[in-house]
Amino acid sequence: ALPISQDFTGALKSYLTAARMKNVHAFNEVGVDPYGISKEHLARFYAMLGFLYRRYFAVKAYGLEQVPERGRAMLVGNHSGGVAMDGAMVIASMFFGKDPPRLAQGMAEKFINRVPFASLWSNRTGNFTGLPEHATRLLEDERLLMVFPEGARGTAKLYWERHSLVDFGTGFMRIALQTGTPIVPLAFIGGLILIGSLVAFWYHFCNGIRHLVWDAGKGFDPKFSDLTAIVVIAATGSEGHGADCRRAEQ
């Protein structure tokens, strides 16, 4: 396999070339398209996704040939539980698995726009608030839309519910009929395993910072040590249980 940097750079160049040839996703002189999607943010976003998709999670995607090479289409799938890492991996599969790459754009939960950092990056990478008017406009502009009809409820599944579906709306079908958009169904398996792996990584990352403080000869006071231990556990817990918090907001 190619190194991540070469693999990502090749995919990005291929995507931009295809976009210019089809005269879609046109970026202006500062690298921003009509929807506010930024080439700079895409580059950073997909560099990170490439590592997670190919190396850290080693995702396997099957049936990518069923997704149209160009034009409007709607990817409709299940949330497999936990933080919505499954959506990120679906986006990565369209970019790294298709030739030429396709930019899948997700419909995000409304609460994301209330989170400063997440709001900026979500919009700059093409993932907009899940409103019918947004979905319709994107599809009429021949874009590839990713939809999880279960919404935030789908991310709050317990381990034994990981292969089940919760109640979901049918608005995506009405939009597909209205815009003449083909629906490509998908099934995502293993999302909770991804989350468990990510939580372990996050725990060791936070605890590693704590050890760096000790390596500098600081933080040996028992009170400070106890406090940083609580912070590490709380930070890990917030990552692992973020889906339940989001569910409570709905």
Side-chain angles (χ1 to χ4, degrees):
L2 290 172
I4 287 298
S5 59
Q6 296 181 24
D7 186 25
F8 160 71
T9 302
L12 181 61
K13 288 181 178 178
S14 179
Y15 163 71
L16 294 175
T17 299
R20 285 194 298 269
M21 290 176 61
K22 294 180 289 183
N23 195 31
V24 297
H25 309 311
F27 294 95
N28 61 20
E29 63 277 3
V30 295
V32 178
D33 86 342
Y35 288 89
I37 301 173
S38 163
K39 280 199 293 186
E40 178 183 356
H41 287 79
L42 283 179
R44 296 178 181 178
F45 179 62
Y46 279 107
M48 176 191 67
L49 279 191
F51 169 75
L52 293 175
Y53 178 76
R54 293 196 182 280
R55 302 298 175 86
Y56 190 74
F57 295 137
V59 176
K60 301 292 184 183
Y62 303 94
L64 294 177
E65 68 279 0
Q66 303 299 326
V67 180
E69 299 294 331
R70 60 181 60 85
R72 69 187 69 178
M74 188 184 292
L75 303 173
V76 179
N78 64 298
H79 269 313
S80 59
V83 180
M85 186 58 68
D86 44 13
M89 294 300 101
V90 171
I91 290 174
S93 71
M94 294 296 104
F95 193 81
F96 294 104
K98 297 285 292 178
D99 186 19
R102 292 212 63 176
L103 176 64
Q105 297 180 236
M107 293 284 95
E109 289 291 334
K110 295 178 182 178
F111 78 89
I112 290 180
N113 280 331
R114 299 197 296 268
V115 182
F117 179 81
S119 175
L120 173 65
W121 275 88
S122 177
N123 283 277
R124 288 291 184 262
T125 54
N127 301 290
F128 304 118
T129 304
L131 299 175
E133 54 266 34
H134 289 171
T136 300
R137 181 177 175 185
L138 288 167
L139 292 171
E140 289 178 346
D141 203 21
E142 306 301 330
R143 306 232 174 177
L144 178 61
L145 197 65
M146 179 185 67
V147 178
F148 291 96
E150 295 172 294
R153 294 187 300 275
T155 66
K157 296 175 185 174
L158 301 176
Y159 179 77
W160 51 85
E161 299 172 324
R162 64 193 183 281
H163 296 150
S164 65
L165 291 173
V166 300
D167 292 339
F168 58 87
T170 57
F172 71 95
M173 290 190 287
R174 292 194 296 271
I175 293 174
L177 291 171
Q178 174 187 338
T179 58
T181 299
I183 292 178
V184 182
L186 67 92
F188 195 98
I189 300 174
L192 282 177
I193 297 175
L194 297 186
I195 299 308
S197 176
L198 195 63
V199 167
F201 171 81
W202 185 247
Y203 170 79
H204 286 289
F205 174 79
C206 294
N207 214 31
I209 296 175
R210 185 170 175 238
H211 279 267
L212 286 175
V213 175
W214 289 342
D215 291 343
K218 300 178 181 179
F220 291 106
D221 178 80
K223 290 184 178 180
F224 180 82
S225 181
D226 290 345
L227 176 62
T228 54
I230 294 172
V231 169
V232 168
I233 294 173
T236 305
S238 67
E239 173 69 20
H241 297 286
D244 293 328
C245 295
R246 289 198 301 273
R247 186 177 186 181
E249 291 183 5
Q250 301 305 309

